[in-house]
Amino acid sequence: MRGNEVPIWQKWTLVVEEAAAYFRIGENKLRNLINENQDADWLIWNGNRPQIKRVKFENYLDNLSVI
């Protein structure tokens, strides 16, 4: 960890690349989920850039049986 960098498990939101590494889901699959659920409560938009709310996305995944 460098300087003031926050560990990924403590971040409130994750970019697609971070979420893919953290949740072990491919970036393309995450982008598909984002496109299919653009108004989801686990998603926040920073301009045209999606940010994934880590805890809410964890809860979303907990309720899925297949991704």
Side-chain angles (χ1 to χ4, degrees):
M1 197 166 51
R2 293 174 270 139
N4 294 332
E5 189 175 323
V6 177
I8 197 167
W9 60 89
Q10 291 181 344
K11 289 184 176 184
W12 191 70
T13 63
L14 306 172
V15 295
V16 172
E17 296 80 10
E18 291 172 331
Y22 184 78
F23 293 109
R24 298 185 51 94
I25 299 172
E27 288 182 33
N28 289 335
K29 183 58 149 179
L30 278 174
R31 291 185 192 283
N32 287 340
L33 284 170
I34 290 167
N35 287 334
E36 293 169 1
N37 301 287
Q38 290 192 3
D39 294 328
D41 67 340
W42 49 264
L43 192 59
I44 189 169
W45 291 90
N46 182 8
N48 64 349
R49 191 171 158 191
Q51 299 276 311
I52 297 170
K53 297 177 186 175
R54 184 182 51 80
V55 174
K56 289 194 178 215
F57 191 66
E58 286 175 359
N59 293 335
Y60 172 75
L61 291 178
D62 282 342
N63 294 319
L64 293 178
S65 57
V66 176
I67 187 165

